[in-house]
Amino acid sequence: MRLGPDQELSYQEIAALLDCPPGTVMSRLARARSRLREWGTIGMVGLTTGGGYGPLTSRYGLALDNLLAAEVVLGDGWLVICGEHENPDLFWEIRGGGGNFGVITSMRVRLHPIRQVFAGMMLFPWSQAESVLGGYAESIAGARDELSVLAGILPGPNGSPMVCLAPMWIAETSRGEELIARLRQLGTLVMDRVGTITYLDWLVLIGAAAPVACYYAAKNRSLAQLTPAVISLVAGGQRRSSPYSVIILRDFRGAPTRVPLATTAFGLRKEHFMVEIIAAWDPTAEDDGENHREWARTLSENLAPHALPVGYPNVLGPDD
């Protein structure tokens, strides 16, 4: 399957590879794979060259681990193809080095057939943040690769913070129900929307929880463990400067940790949690955003003593 810049997208059942031109976004891939509704505006090239965390990472690796080849325009104007056996140094660099080595005009990506998942979202009261996040850390430790759980702090319906767990299980449903039932017992459920859905429906559900039409400032940290001290700091997110701001925890384990470090330019292959601190505020308010940026900086600095000495390229800002 090859996606042209403007053409109507087609889907081939037999396809195991995908060719992406520059500017391809998640919504176009989702429509091509499912013929459902639009979701997402994340550029596939940037996502992949910087790393590419996602709900399938523990089973299939980072997005860059599924990159098979790319066409790249170099600084001198030459168009080259790189892959495992052709320009391997460049291929190593673009898998984790970001867009620093040329302009990628096409990528070939390995696909994985997933029709349905047992997944969704659960919300818990903010007063239970420390116990829920502590239970989440224990539940995810040593879990099978087929399970991933995105955790975080999201604004509730009235703007007050709530604890979110968004699990996804991609193997036999009965076993997934058993594992996710344990997550339900971590606190008092305010919302439980977990069941058998399509992968796209899960993406839509998560995307709908994100604030829109806001200004943003982001920081990130990689944490070896969610210790009680770390959980306490994250739980302090209730002191956010804006009701739209979010904190996201992504677990990194399973398949990507088994990729040798020297194989790609991505510099962290040990198990960890990647924390995204996203300040978001209303652009119509008379607000220069400094208070919100300061909130993100302060939380990031407080997490620094507990963090690994690396950052995630796709969330690094000009001051990081």
Side-chain angles (χ1 to χ4, degrees):
M1 180 164 61
R2 184 177 181 88
L3 307 185
D6 299 306
Q7 72 194 57
E8 185 70 21
L9 301 182
S10 63
Y11 173 65
Q12 298 174 348
E13 286 289 336
I14 199 170
L17 305 177
L18 177 71
D19 290 322
C20 301
T24 300
V25 296
M26 287 289 291
S27 60
R28 302 183 68 233
L29 300 189
R31 291 201 305 276
R33 294 293 294 175
S34 67
R35 298 188 183 279
L36 294 176
R37 56 191 175 277
E38 181 173 349
W39 181 89
T41 54
I42 299 173
M44 289 302 300
V45 171
L47 175 76
T48 301
T49 57
Y53 289 73
L56 302 177
T57 296
S58 60
R59 179 65 178 87
Y60 297 116
L62 293 163
L64 63 81
D65 295 326
N66 293 278
L67 179 62
L68 301 176
E71 292 181 350
V72 185
V73 178
L74 303 178
D76 58 9
W78 285 98
L79 175 65
V80 300
I81 297 175
C82 64
E84 184 178 357
H85 303 294
E86 189 171 5
N87 294 305
D89 289 347
L90 179 60
F91 188 52
W92 182 90
E93 291 165 344
I94 66 171
R95 290 179 296 159
N100 298 307
F101 305 98
V103 178
I104 294 178
T105 58
S106 180
M107 299 190 307
R108 173 157 289 199
V109 180
R110 182 186 297 110
L111 299 182
H112 303 279
I114 296 178
R115 296 301 178 192
Q116 291 186 317
V117 296
F118 189 71
M121 178 186 291
M122 295 179 269
L123 294 179
F124 300 86
W126 187 252
S127 59
Q128 300 175 9
E130 294 197 27
S131 61
V132 171
L133 292 176
Y136 153 73
E138 293 177 4
S139 299
I140 208 69
R144 283 176 50 175
D145 294 355
E146 290 84 359
L147 176 67
S148 69
V149 184
L150 183 149
I153 287 67
L154 300 177
N158 64 354
S160 61
M162 304 197 77
V163 184
C164 167
L165 298 181
M168 178 179 290
W169 173 257
I170 59 170
E172 65 280 5
T173 300
S174 59
R175 178 59 175 151
E177 289 175 338
E178 177 184 338
L179 292 170
I180 291 174
R182 298 175 189 172
L183 297 177
R184 290 190 172 104
Q185 297 171 3
L186 295 178
T188 304
L189 280 167
V190 176
M191 186 191 82
D192 184 356
R193 294 182 61 186
V194 177
T196 300
I197 57 177
T198 67
Y199 180 69
L200 176 62
D201 283 337
W202 185 90
L203 294 176
V204 171
L205 179 64
I206 300 303
V212 297
C214 286
Y215 289 164
Y216 303 95
K219 294 288 185 180
N220 81 96
R221 292 288 181 184
S222 296
L223 307 168
Q225 294 179 314
L226 289 186
T227 63
V230 167
I231 291 172
S232 179
L233 287 170
V234 173
Q238 65 178 335
R239 295 184 290 275
R240 299 169 306 161
S241 59
S242 164
Y244 304 117
S245 296
V246 301
I247 301 172
I248 299 172
L249 299 168
R250 301 179 185 272
D251 61 288
F252 184 92
R253 54 185 181 80
T257 68
R258 296 189 286 270
V259 176
L261 182 62
T263 303
T264 70
F266 193 79
L268 182 59
R269 290 291 181 173
K270 63 174 65 175
E271 290 190 2
H272 65 273
F273 294 89
M274 197 267 283
V275 183
E276 296 179 66
I277 307 163
I278 305 174
W281 62 96
D282 186 350
T284 63
E286 294 181 1
D287 188 344
D288 64 3
E290 182 54 32
N291 184 41
H292 311 296
R293 285 187 285 269
E294 180 60 25
W295 169 79
R297 283 195 297 266
T298 299
L299 180 54
S300 177
E301 290 168 0
N302 290 340
L303 287 172
H306 310 276
L308 298 167
V310 294
Y312 179 40
N314 281 346
V315 193
L316 293 177
D319 299 325
D320 295 320

